[in-house]
Amino acid sequence: TSNIFAVESVKCMYGFPRAFSRLPATQSGMLRLSCPHLVKAIDKYEYSLNGINKINEILAIDKEPSLSKEENINNNFSYKLRENFHKTNQVWKSIRNMLLSDKDRAAVIAKLGEEKANAMMNSGIIGITEEKVNDAKCLHAHVADHLLRGDNLIGEVVLKELNKEMGVDAKGCKDCWQQCDLRFERTLDSWWYISHKNKQKLKNQKINRRIMKQQNESKGK
């Protein structure tokens, strides 16, 4: 579609891209992991295996103050992870600002106010403050970024963890193509997955529609 500006070049075993980035740059969620096989695996890793906490625990390990920056990088994986996280935030801050038009900037400032708008426009991956490197926040986004750019260490670690802890092949599984192939006619036995986050989003939309309907009915009385 017209709002997609970057798509993964290395595809899954069935030839489908697994990640893309979309416009507008005025939203924090520019990255999307489109592979339902990986979304399912990361959901399980986050919810059942405390994946985000695992990554955050690595990020939280203090660097050794007695070592130089070069020695820390060579000897401390946590330091490497934080340095790469910071670099990732800088990259997405740059991408966001490159894509923002003057009209976009004016619209964001009008909506959020100048202070919040500047914070959003200068944020990193998934809207994280550039210097904030102690909370991975969303592993789906980091994996999507790694698939797109090939230089997101958190995303790389997550893919290795999925394979090591759960036996997940990042290229796909036997039947996951069924959800991605638009020519496939879905049945009750088809491979299909809807993310926990999407389920909650749909639930909230239904609740909001019901509330609006009740309010409109009350106004009509």
Side-chain angles (χ1 to χ4, degrees), residues 19 33 38 42 139-148 152 155 158-159:
L33 187 65
L38 285 177
I42 295 172
L139 301 185
H140 300 76
H142 285 282
V143 170
D145 182 40
H146 183 64
L147 293 174
L148 281 169
N152 184 309
V158 171
L159 289 178

Side-chain angles (χ1 to χ4, degrees), residues 24 30 32-33 45 47 67-68 71 87 100 104 157 160 172 177 186-187 189 197:
M30 292 175 66
R32 280 290 178 269
L33 187 65
Y45 183 66
Y47 290 99
L67 298 178
S68 67
E71 288 172 322
K87 179 182 175 183
L100 282 168
D104 290 333
V157 169
K160 288 180 178 177
W177 63 271
R186 181 183 176 186
T187 68
D189 297 323
K197 295 177 181 178

Side-chain angles (χ1 to χ4, degrees), residues 14-205:
Y14 300 110
F16 298 107
R18 296 167 293 176
F20 64 90
S21 185
R22 64 179 185 172
L23 297 171
T26 53
Q27 61 182 348
S28 60
M30 292 175 66
L31 284 162
R32 280 290 178 269
L33 187 65
S34 53
C35 170
H37 165 68
L38 285 177
V39 170
K40 180 179 181 180
I42 295 172
D43 275 356
K44 183 176 180 180
Y45 183 66
E46 284 188 350
Y47 290 99
S48 301
L49 300 178
N50 295 315
I52 291 181
N53 288 338
K54 285 185 178 181
I55 299 297
N56 287 347
E57 284 173 6
I58 300 173
L59 289 167
I61 297 173
D62 290 333
K63 64 181 180 180
E64 174 54 56
S66 64
L67 298 178
S68 67
K69 180 177 180 180
E70 290 72 22
E71 288 172 322
N72 268 304
I73 291 174
N74 291 329
N75 295 289
N76 191 329
F77 182 70
S78 298
Y79 192 88
K80 291 181 183 179
L81 203 63
R82 286 195 296 271
E83 285 287 292
N84 182 266
F85 196 174
H86 183 239
K87 179 182 175 183
T88 295
N89 282 336
Q90 289 179 319
V91 167
W92 279 99
K93 172 186 174 180
S94 176
I95 291 174
R96 191 185 307 278
N97 277 277
M98 177 183 69
L99 293 170
L100 282 168
S101 65
D102 291 339
K103 184 178 179 181
D104 290 333
R105 293 176 188 277
V108 175
I109 292 172
K111 181 179 180 181
L112 301 178
E114 192 165 352
E115 184 177 347
K116 289 184 178 180
N118 285 332
M120 189 284 292
M121 289 186 287
N122 290 303
S123 63
I125 187 172
I126 44 178
I128 294 175
T129 304
E130 182 183 346
E131 301 296 331
K132 187 176 181 181
V133 292
N134 61 348
D135 184 4
K137 193 175 179 180
C138 177
L139 301 185
H140 300 76
H142 285 282
V143 170
D145 182 40
H146 183 64
L147 293 174
L148 281 169
R149 296 191 304 113
D151 186 26
N152 184 309
L153 193 51
I154 292 176
E156 181 182 344
V157 169
V158 171
L159 289 178
K160 288 180 178 177
E161 281 285 293
L162 294 181
N163 185 261
K164 177 184 174 183
E165 300 292 333
M166 299 161 55
V168 173
D169 183 349
K171 287 287 189 180
C173 64
K174 181 183 177 182
D175 296 318
C176 61
W177 63 271
Q178 295 174 358
Q179 188 164 346
C180 298
D181 192 338
L182 298 178
R183 298 166 299 179
F184 179 77
E185 294 186 10
R186 181 183 176 186
T187 68
L188 292 176
D189 297 323
S190 300
W191 193 101
W192 212 267
Y193 181 72
I194 299 176
S195 171
H196 296 293
K197 295 177 181 178
N198 287 342
K199 286 178 181 178
Q200 185 60 48
K201 184 177 180 180
L202 291 172
K203 183 178 179 180
N204 290 340
Q205 287 176 344

